[in-house]
Amino acid sequence: MFRTALRNVLAHKARLLMTVLAVTLGVAFVSGTLVFTDTLKKSLSGQSAKSYEGVAVSVTSYGQGRDDNGQKEGEPGLSQQTLDKVKALGGVESVSGRVSGFAGVGDENGKLIGAGWSNKGSNYAPVKDGKDPHYVFAQGAGPAKADEIALDKATADAGNYHVGDKVRVATNGPVKEYSLAGVFTTEDGAVQAGGSLVLFDTKVAQELYLKPGYYQELSVAAKAGASADQLLAEIKPLLNDKHTKAQTGAALAKEQAEQIEKGLSSMSTMLLVFAGISLFVGVFLIYNTFTMLVTQRTKELALLRAVGANRGQVMRSVLAEALVVGAVSAAIGLLSGLGLAIGMRSLIGSFGAKLPGGDLVVAPGTIIAALVIGVLVTTLAALLPAWRTGRIAPVAAMGSAHLPASAKSLVLRNVSGSVIGVLAVGLVLLGVSKGGSSGRMIMGAGAFFMLIGLIVLLPLLSKPVISAVRPLLQKVFGVPGKLAAQNAVRNPRRTAVTAASLAIGLTLVTTLSVLGITVGKVVDRMSTEKLRADYRVSMAGDMGSLDKSVAETLAKAPGIKAVSPQAAGFLRVGEDYRSASGVTPGAIDQMLNIEVLSGSLDALGKGELAVAEKTAKKANLAVGSTLQVQFDDGQQGTLKVGAVYKDLEGLLSPYVIDNKVLSAHSEEQYIPEVYVNVDGGASSAGQQKVVDALGKNPAITVATQQDMRNEMGGMINTMLNVMYGLLGMALIISVLGVVNTLAMSVFERTQEIGMLRAIGLDRRRVKNMIRLEAVVISLFGAVLGVAIGVFLAWAVGTTIAKSMPNYELVLPWDRIGIFLLLAAVVGVLAAMWPARSAARLNMLTAIKTE
């Protein structure tokens, strides 16, 4: 029987090729994801371990904390005295102190070099031999004076800088010019991620990023023969601050490796989810393929039964075919996955990230997963056709009387599908009523059961839905249209299985599209309706805080009409910390469209507080109410409520106060953005005024209203494009499924097609009939998928509407139209081969076919 199964596999190469392709795509995505993430994890972990070579003990300061009364406690970092004490220990060879923060380098046009989120500045810390072991200099040497810096080689090359050149460097404060003392190579993660690294003299770096005489981290090198664990035990008593942590270099490298693995897990999970979707859709194709093969071999199987093969043997022969196909598909998928992993690594490199080199990591678990998934998915999908094969009576099979499912089985299927569908809708509506993240989890379960119910109910839905469009097809396309509609519902089960793959893919695509477009419109309305400022000034890549001098400089610049920072701070009210926005009274209402419900924003100029409506209701506050607060520095105060305004979530905190009041209680205020209006309104000249006023600082971005709208819209569109690309695999498998169904239909109707040719239906109309059948099946699945996707998008939208003001569901009719058009194109493309085969049938031979 096994030899028979192998012969059958080789005898139907074209049919099985589609099954192999479907399984290969899913397995390739799974194995490619595992190989890519394992390779990335190993290379990044190796890079991290390499950066800690020679570090016996690392001591890290987490800055000042707060006591139970909210007062700051501890030192701002590790003091020079602490470094000297550690250095004096017997087993210590050397100690280097580190500080770091943001630093951006401008090119000759003043544009920032590298990605803003990974542009870093640190200090050059030479040890006994006068060199810093972390950096190898290709030109020059490390900075030795306050006006000198060193650059990583990639940044120096990008800016065409050489030793001795003047380089403009921006930190959080005004841009400054330094002399380039050296160019180095490094394994630093910021540089490898596509950013830049600027090395300052230690005293300069301390002033920029922390406080003179303090470090954020100490790297301790041990003398030959000294134990890292023993050094750690000696260093810990020297650290009196509970906000510091000491650990061996090996432990720190291991900890970072675990953090890297954790950081990669979400990406890996997302890719594996889409691989699972592709495999799930592939199940329908495999099921159809084996159903087709079994139908084509009914006489052969009957002959096997007649010569003594029992039901179990026949069933096992079909499963053996599935086993062979699954094993071959898994092997091809594993090899394809290696290519996919290489492509993923190249793709990340094309975005500017410099991934560490190294061979691909193919773990034994990846090989086992690929083989198990390929074989298991194929075998499970072939199980039902194999079971049906064993139930064919020899005499019925010899007479080609393979009858369709009984009415009883269809009734049972329809009843069970209806129960699952009602349960699914109930779960989704329950999630709507609960709302929030818990509601979305319930909806997720409801969406899963909804897809299962759809799959079960598709045979029941196919007849009325397709019958409804039959008059239109007949009117427009004549006899081929009528025959196509009839053929599409001739075998409801097979039509349902084919349509299911398209329905699942388009359900996901439509849900994501509707939600993405809706959120984008909300953001767009927020930008156009709520934002009045001509420009928003922020750090490039939204990295860190602007210096307070930015707002002060802009306020004094010519051509600037109004300036207001949007400083972020906290007020302790009772036992809770509440976020507060520090703004400029008299200017903030020119920047934002603030709807005042009671009181006046002029009260901000008197040191009073403006409170958002929801917060005011929750805390029972009104104009004239007083609030006991504790500021960032621990000082107590009483603030009077001078205005209540309609919430501007995403633009203003629940509490708004004059920034002079807020900044007076904060040593280093966090200012993510500054809003600016210029004389004459927004224009290219006005934007240049702001840029010039800031000294053409490469680290600062001056964004127009359109830039702000594009920023969020671009993120949403990028996310959707990634989703479309990933879900495209499911649609490719759907095309193969339609091909299979049509080929099966042509095979079953060989005699019928011959009769149609004999009574006058020419080849062109035969082709049209097959094409229209494919289009009808594809659109049937697409329409159902779009309908369910819109319903799920509405349900999920209700759970986020409360957190997004002015949320209103938007149906992207243009994209929905494109989805339906693509479904029709899928049908036409899938019908090419079956339609050609049907048109080329010899009518006399076809008529004689049993």
Side-chain angles (χ1 to χ4, degrees):
M1 294 301 292
F2 185 70
R3 286 197 299 273
T4 302
L6 287 178
R7 283 198 299 271
N8 288 328
V9 169
L10 297 175
H12 301 90
K13 300 181 184 67
R15 298 281 187 272
L16 291 172
L17 179 62
M18 289 182 283
T19 298
V20 169
L21 183 56
V23 180
T24 297
L25 284 173
V27 172
F29 218 149
V30 172
S31 56
T33 297
L34 294 176
V35 170
F36 173 67
T37 52
D38 286 345
T39 302
L40 195 58
K41 180 172 64 178
K42 181 182 178 182
S43 59
L44 292 177
S45 298
Q47 184 186 72
S48 175
K50 189 174 180 180
S51 65
Y52 287 102
E53 283 182 1
V55 177
V57 178
S58 176
V59 184
T60 304
S61 170
Y62 296 99
Q64 291 176 294
R66 294 181 183 274
D67 59 20
D68 295 337
N69 296 319
Q71 300 283 347
K72 287 186 178 181
E73 61 178 0
E75 294 185 292
L78 296 159
S79 66
Q80 182 65 43
Q81 290 79 7
T82 301
L83 185 150
D84 292 338
K85 290 178 183 178
V86 172
K87 192 174 182 180
L89 294 175
V92 173
E93 175 70 22
S94 63
V95 182
S96 55
R98 305 281 176 190
V99 287
S100 61
F102 173 81
V105 179
D107 61 16
E108 59 182 4
N109 298 316
K111 299 295 184 181
L112 183 68
I113 298 175
W117 54 271
S118 58
N119 289 329
K120 179 181 172 184
S122 188
N123 64 305
Y124 182 68
V127 288
K128 287 185 176 180
D129 58 357
K131 296 181 180 180
D132 190 326
H134 282 75
Y135 311 105
V136 177
F137 278 82
Q139 302 174 32
K145 300 177 182 177
D147 63 346
E148 291 182 341
I149 60 165
L151 288 179
D152 68 275
K153 189 174 187 304
T155 302
D157 290 344
N160 197 27
Y161 289 122
H162 304 281
V163 173
D165 289 349
K166 296 296 182 180
V167 182
R168 289 165 58 81
V169 179
T171 54
N172 289 5
V175 63
K176 293 182 180 179
E177 197 168 69
Y178 297 86
S179 177
L180 183 61
V183 177
F184 58 88
T185 58
T186 178
E187 294 291 328
D188 190 277
V191 176
Q192 297 301 318
S196 61
L197 177 60
V198 182
L199 294 181
F200 299 94
D201 174 73
T202 294
K203 290 183 178 179
V204 173
Q206 287 176 330
E207 291 175 356
L208 287 173
Y209 300 126
L210 195 59
K211 192 176 180 180
Y214 286 91
Y215 303 92
Q216 294 163 333
E217 183 182 351
L218 302 180
S219 296
V220 183
K223 291 181 178 178
S227 164
D229 291 329
Q230 179 61 37
L231 274 180
L232 179 64
E234 294 176 4
I235 289 172
K236 281 186 175 180
L238 303 178
L239 309 174
N240 299 320
D241 194 339
K242 64 181 180 180
H243 300 290
T244 60
K245 182 180 181 180
Q247 56 192 139
T248 63
L252 184 57
K254 181 181 178 181
E255 181 182 286
Q256 290 204 355
E258 291 173 351
Q259 291 175 351
I260 289 169
E261 183 173 358
K262 186 177 180 181
L264 291 174
S265 64
S266 58
M267 177 181 65
S268 177
T269 300
M270 183 189 74
L271 293 175
L272 289 175
V273 165
F274 284 98
I277 292 170
S278 296
L279 288 168
F280 183 60
V281 173
V283 166
F284 300 104
L285 172 58
I286 299 165
Y287 168 82
N288 255 0
T289 299
F290 278 92
T291 299
M292 179 192 304
L293 295 176
V294 167
T295 302
Q296 289 177 333
R297 290 162 41 211
T298 50
K299 285 188 176 183
E300 176 191 328
L301 295 170
L303 182 60
L304 289 173
R305 291 291 309 279
V307 298
N310 58 36
R311 289 183 175 183
Q313 287 177 311
V314 174
M315 179 178 175
R316 285 194 293 274
S317 73
V318 176
L319 290 178
E321 291 181 49
L323 187 68
V324 172
V325 172
V328 171
S329 304
I332 298 173
L334 179 61
L335 294 175
S336 302
L338 298 180
L340 185 62
I342 294 171
M344 288 181 181
R345 191 157 68 171
S346 299
L347 182 63
I348 289 183
S350 68
F351 288 113
K354 304 175 186 65
L355 295 180
D359 298 330
L360 292 178
V361 177
V362 185
T366 300
I367 299 174
I368 294 171
L371 293 174
V372 169
I373 289 170
V375 172
L376 190 63
V377 167
T378 310
T379 305
L380 287 177
L383 193 59
L384 185 56
W387 178 77
R388 287 177 178 167
T389 300
R391 294 178 63 86
I392 298 175
V395 175
M398 292 292 286
S400 298
H402 189 194
L403 301 175
S406 65
K408 179 181 177 181
S409 66
L410 286 175
V411 169
L412 180 62
R413 176 172 182 155
N414 294 338
V415 170
S416 60
S418 300
V419 171
I420 295 173
V422 170
L423 172 65
V425 173
L427 285 173
V428 172
L429 294 178
L430 178 61
V432 170
S433 64
K434 275 190 168 293
S437 58
S438 60
R440 286 192 288 273
M441 290 186 67
I442 296 173
M443 283 180 197
F448 173 76
F449 284 113
M450 187 172 290
L451 290 177
I452 298 299
L454 173 67
I455 294 167
V456 177
L457 283 175
L458 274 174
L460 176 65
L461 296 171
S462 62
K463 284 191 175 182
V465 174
I466 296 176
S467 296
V469 300
R470 187 167 64 187
L472 177 63
L473 289 173
Q474 184 174 352
K475 184 177 180 180
V476 176
F477 299 101
V479 173
K482 178 181 179 180
L483 293 174
Q486 290 175 337
N487 293 332
V489 295
R490 177 175 293 187
N491 191 326
R493 285 178 181 271
R494 192 166 60 239
T495 297
V497 171
T498 306
S501 57
L502 275 168
I504 292 169
L506 282 175
T507 293
L508 297 170
V509 169
T510 304
T511 302
L512 292 170
S513 295
V514 173
L515 284 173
I517 297 298
T518 300
V519 172
K521 292 292 184 183
V522 171
V523 173
D524 191 61
R525 283 197 297 269
M526 185 182 296
S527 300
T528 54
E529 296 176 9
K530 301 299 181 184
L531 192 62
R532 291 177 173 173
D534 294 334
Y535 307 105
R536 183 194 67 189
V537 177
S538 61
M539 294 296 292
D542 293 326
M543 274 297 296
S545 170
L546 292 166
D547 190 79
K548 63 180 182 179
S549 63
V550 170
E552 295 170 356
T553 300
L554 289 171
K556 298 173 184 177
I560 304 297
K561 182 179 179 181
V563 177
S564 176
Q566 222 280 48
F570 291 92
L571 297 175
R572 185 174 179 179
V573 182
E575 297 299 320
D576 300 319
Y577 284 94
R578 304 292 186 187
S579 62
S581 293
V583 301
T584 300
I588 190 61
D589 52 345
Q590 299 179 45
M591 310 298 175
L592 302 175
N593 185 10
I594 304 174
E595 183 179 345
V596 179
L597 302 176
S598 58
S600 172
L601 290 179
D602 292 339
L604 293 174
K606 304 173 185 177
E608 296 180 2
L609 194 68
V611 184
E613 180 185 16
K614 292 179 183 177
T615 302
K617 287 181 178 178
K618 189 175 180 179
N620 196 26
L621 296 174
V623 173
S625 301
T626 56
L627 203 63
Q628 298 296 320
V629 301
Q630 180 176 293
F631 293 99
D632 189 56
D633 60 358
Q635 291 188 25
Q636 305 285 336
T638 302
L639 295 176
K640 182 181 178 182
V641 177
V644 175
Y645 65 93
K646 195 170 183 64
D647 291 71
L648 281 175
E649 295 180 44
L651 292 175
L652 274 181
S653 298
Y655 293 107
V656 179
I657 192 172
D658 186 346
N659 195 46
K660 290 181 180 178
V661 177
L662 200 61
S663 62
H665 297 279
S666 177
E667 293 182 14
E668 297 179 3
Q669 195 174 31
Y670 183 72
I671 307 175
E673 53 202 12
V674 172
Y675 293 121
V676 183
N677 279 350
V678 297
D679 294 334
S683 64
S684 57
Q687 187 175 18
Q688 191 61 46
K689 288 179 184 178
V690 179
V691 172
D692 292 341
L694 295 172
K696 297 181 180 178
N697 192 322
I700 291 180
T701 299
V702 180
T704 64
Q705 284 196 13
Q706 188 60 47
D707 292 334
M708 290 180 260
R709 292 164 64 185
N710 293 341
E711 184 179 310
M712 182 57 72
M715 290 172 58
I716 294 170
N717 288 330
T718 300
M719 178 194 72
L720 287 176
N721 290 335
V722 170
M723 298 301 178
Y724 293 155
L726 294 172
L727 290 170
M729 279 207 321
L731 297 181
I732 291 173
I733 297 173
S734 299
V735 173
L736 300 177
V738 177
V739 173
N740 252 4
T741 295
L742 294 176
M744 182 74 165
S745 178
V746 170
F747 169 77
E748 288 181 345
R749 301 188 339 252
T750 300
Q751 188 180 60
E752 176 189 320
I753 292 171
M755 290 295 295
L756 290 171
R757 291 289 315 282
I759 63 176
L761 197 69
D762 59 23
R763 289 184 175 182
R764 181 181 60 82
R765 289 194 286 181
V766 169
K767 287 183 178 179
N768 285 342
M769 177 183 70
I770 302 299
R771 290 193 194 103
L772 288 172
E773 182 181 346
V775 171
V776 166
I777 293 173
S778 299
L779 286 177
F780 169 59
V783 168
L784 291 176
V786 167
I788 295 174
V790 170
F791 173 69
L792 292 176
W794 164 81
V796 174
T798 60
T799 66
I800 63 177
K802 291 182 180 178
S803 60
M804 299 192 75
N806 302 318
Y807 181 92
E808 184 179 340
L809 189 70
V810 177
L811 294 182
W813 294 110
D814 53 343
R815 297 203 184 194
I816 290 175
I818 291 173
F819 297 156
L820 296 177
L821 179 62
L822 286 175
V825 172
V826 163
V828 172
L829 293 176
M832 291 177 66
W833 173 55
R836 184 170 178 270
S837 299
R840 295 183 65 182
L841 285 174
N842 184 291
M843 67 180 72
L844 295 179
T845 304
I847 290 172
K848 292 189 293 182
T849 302
E850 297 182 8

